[in-house]
């Protein structure tokens, strides 16, 4: 069975225009490298480019570790971290990771469902 082919750039652009509170939408490969998307225009980054690289690598590692429990609990639909300065949500697309960062006061009950509907459109 082959994996579905996704247009990562189109997905990231759709997500960035979904909500004004979204700051970043990017796809990170299993090695922690950004392969599509990025920061929304006219948004000041919260971290340096070097910090981004570390965040992406740590995220890729976390996603790999979560897969260890897929047999018992089923695959992860999304994972979310609420921080003081940002809300971060990750989704698995094939072997890659869609990483979305928004303002901390974004509607975390609605936003992941909207993003999932874009991924699965």
């Amino acid at each position: 069975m082959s994996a579905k082919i996704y247009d990562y750039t189109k997905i990231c652009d759709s997500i960035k225009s979904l909500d004004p509170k979204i700051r970043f939408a990017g796809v990170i490969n299993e090695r922690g490298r950004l392969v599509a998307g990025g920061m929304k225009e006219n948004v000041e980054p919260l971290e340096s480019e070097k910090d981004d690289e570390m965040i992406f690598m740590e995220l890729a590692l976390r996603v790999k570790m979560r897969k260890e429990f897929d047999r018992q609990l089923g695959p992860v639909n999304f994972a979310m971290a609420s921080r003081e300065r940002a809300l971060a949500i990750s989704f698995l697309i094939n072997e890659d990771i869609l990483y979305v960062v928004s303002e901390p006061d974004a509607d975390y009950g609605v936003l992941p469902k909207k993003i999932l509907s874009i991924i699965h459109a």
Side-chain angles (χ1 to χ4, degrees):
M1 183 170 94
S2 64
K4 181 178 174 185
I5 297 173
Y6 292 86
D7 183 340
Y8 289 156
T9 301
K10 183 179 175 185
I11 289 171
C12 291
D13 289 345
S14 296
I15 291 168
K16 286 190 276 188
S17 66
L18 182 66
D19 188 309
K21 293 184 186 275
I22 293 175
R23 304 174 52 80
F24 176 94
V27 175
I28 295 136
N29 68 18
E30 59 188 12
R31 298 178 61 173
R33 302 282 184 233
L34 183 67
V35 295
M39 190 68 69
K40 188 185 276 188
E41 285 186 34
N42 302 319
V43 173
E44 192 67 33
L46 296 173
E47 69 287 323
S48 70
E49 197 171 316
K50 187 77 173 158
D51 288 339
D52 278 344
E53 291 174 14
M54 292 299 294
I55 288 169
F56 298 160
M57 286 189 284
E58 188 267 345
L59 176 61
L61 180 61
R62 240 183 312 132
V63 167
K64 282 180 191 170
M65 292 179 76
R66 277 191 211 116
K67 285 183 184 181
E68 294 295 318
F69 300 101
D70 283 1
R71 192 173 55 77
Q72 298 94 324
L73 303 173
V76 173
N77 296 314
F78 63 89
M80 187 173 356
S82 175
R83 294 181 172 263
E84 187 175 305
R85 298 178 63 204
L87 179 70
I89 313 168
S90 61
F91 306 80
L92 199 58
I93 303 179
N94 293 335
E95 296 299 315
D96 299 315
I97 305 154
L98 172 64
Y99 185 55
V100 179
V101 180
S102 72
E103 297 295 334
D105 60 343
D107 189 339
Y108 60 84
V110 173
L111 195 54
K113 292 175 185 153
K114 288 182 177 180
I115 294 169
L116 284 169
S117 71
I118 289 171
I119 295 169
H120 298 301

